[in-house]
């Protein structure tokens, strides 16, 4: 993609939640958008995620919230259960789309990816799979981008939406640390039990477990394993090991353990966070989503921040004649909100590890209500 008749053009790196959202939002405003995605067409990482109120609100602006609600499983409550099996707390999430639509939706990643991909295609976005960016060079008010196939593009804007290990962030000289927090996050795709109509989180003596519905027929079980070093396990050991870690949990968790042992879809990932403390952009290059602010999963809001980023970036670029001014305004508008979410998620990690679950519950509630404020 090169400059054509003065049109604003964007090269976006990453066709995940953040990348596709900003691609749609920019294309709706007349930008010519090219997306480079390193993975093959149709590949998605992970089994499911939560679209909390802020993400549904942003998706509603794009006309996509109802499609996500139809694809996924709407819910309103997070139920926290004590070690002995008794309900300790219920977080009633703010309904940002009105009383007649759910506060949050659990959704399979492939389903969300399909919704965003189809809308991007309808909006004229071109997604090129098997490619990433290897060099970014400023040329006045433009950016020359070299792709991994050796081709070069000239664009008005480059957006790094390529995750916590962002190559664009490094190419732009926007360095940050990746912090590991002594936890491994497990996920297993299972049939949804009838009683799972919202998120259930179970405090354990060492670890934390839970279950999230993502459709009428499916859910994912999660387990946060504390006090372990990051490292991979053979695929054949994942389901048996996760089932073993769930043995110490009583009642409801005991009901879902057999589902985990039968699951062919189990993943285990280290809990890492990242946060750019200063600028999110250099010249006409900017990073968004996990490339700028990757939270721990405890607040279930990483996707919400990524989707909001995409919409807000397009809005600020529309409001400012100069791209760099728009990028600065975007960062100013997003930095405090995203920092609050990342820092809160890290605090909750520490409370879980200290077995101070009762201190984490009100913090979760307060942060969700803070995130319900306008983006």
């Amino acid at each position: 993609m090169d400059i054509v008749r003065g049109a604003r053009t964007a090269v976006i790196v990453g066709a995940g939640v953040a990348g596709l959202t900003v691609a749609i939002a920019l294309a709706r405003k007349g930008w010519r958008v090219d997306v480079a995605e390193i993975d093959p067409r149709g590949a998605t990482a992970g089994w499911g995620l939560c679209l909390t109120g802020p993400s549904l609100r942003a998706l509603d602006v794009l006309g996509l919230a109802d499609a996500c609600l139809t694809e996924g499983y709407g819910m309103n409550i997070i139920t926290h259960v004590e070690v002995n099996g008794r309900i300790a707390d219920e977080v009633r999430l703010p309904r940002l789309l009105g009383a007649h639509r759910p506060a949050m939706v659990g959704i399979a990643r492939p389903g969300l990816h399909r919704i965003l991909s189809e809308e991007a295609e309808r909006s004229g976005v071109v997604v090129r799979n098997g490619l990433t960016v290897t060099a970014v060079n400023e040329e006045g008010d433009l950016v020359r981008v070299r792709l991994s196939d050796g081709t070069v593009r000239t664009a008005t804007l480059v957006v790094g939406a390529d995750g916590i290990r962002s190559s664009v962030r490094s190419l732009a000289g926007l360095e940050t640390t990746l912090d590991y927090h002594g936890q491994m996050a497990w996920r297993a795709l299972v049939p949804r039990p009838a009683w799972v109509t919202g998120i259930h989180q179970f405090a354990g003596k060492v670890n934390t477990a839970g279950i999230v519905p993502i459709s009428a027929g499916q859910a994912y079980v999660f387990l946060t394993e504390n006090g372990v070093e990051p490292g991979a396990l053979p695929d054949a050991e994942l389901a048996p090991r996760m089932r073993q870690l769930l043995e110490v949990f009583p009642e409801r968790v005991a009901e879902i353990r057999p589902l985990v042992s039968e699951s062919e879809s189990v993943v285990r990932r280290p809990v890492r966070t990242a946060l750019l403390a200063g600028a999110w952009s250099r010249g006409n290059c900017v990073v968004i989503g996990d490339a700028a602010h990757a939270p721990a999963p405890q607040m279930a809001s990483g996707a919400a921040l990524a989707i909001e980023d995409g919409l807000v970036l397009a809005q600020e670029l529309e409001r400012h004649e100069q791209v760099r001014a728009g990028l600065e305004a975007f960062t100013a508008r997003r930095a405090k909100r995203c920092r609050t979410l990342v820092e809160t998620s890290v605090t909750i990690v520490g409370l879980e590890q200290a077995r101070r679950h009762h201190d984490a519950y009100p913090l979760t509630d307060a942060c969700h209500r803070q995130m319900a404020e306008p983006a």
Side-chain angles (χ1 to χ4, degrees), residues 160 163-164 166 169 176 274-277 280 287-294 309 342:
I164 190 170
S166 171
R169 186 179 62 218
T176 189
L275 181 65
L276 278 173
W280 294 7
V287 293
I288 67 173
D290 281 356
H293 45 72
D309 274 358
V342 172

Side-chain angles (χ1 to χ4, degrees), residues 83 201 203-206 208 226 347-364:
V83 174
Q201 181 171 310
K205 293 180 180 179
V206 177
T208 303
N226 285 309
T347 299
I348 294 173
V349 168
L351 292 172
E352 287 181 353
Q353 292 169 330
R355 301 179 183 85
R356 293 170 53 193
H357 298 285
H358 282 274
D359 292 327
Y361 304 150
L363 187 60
T364 300

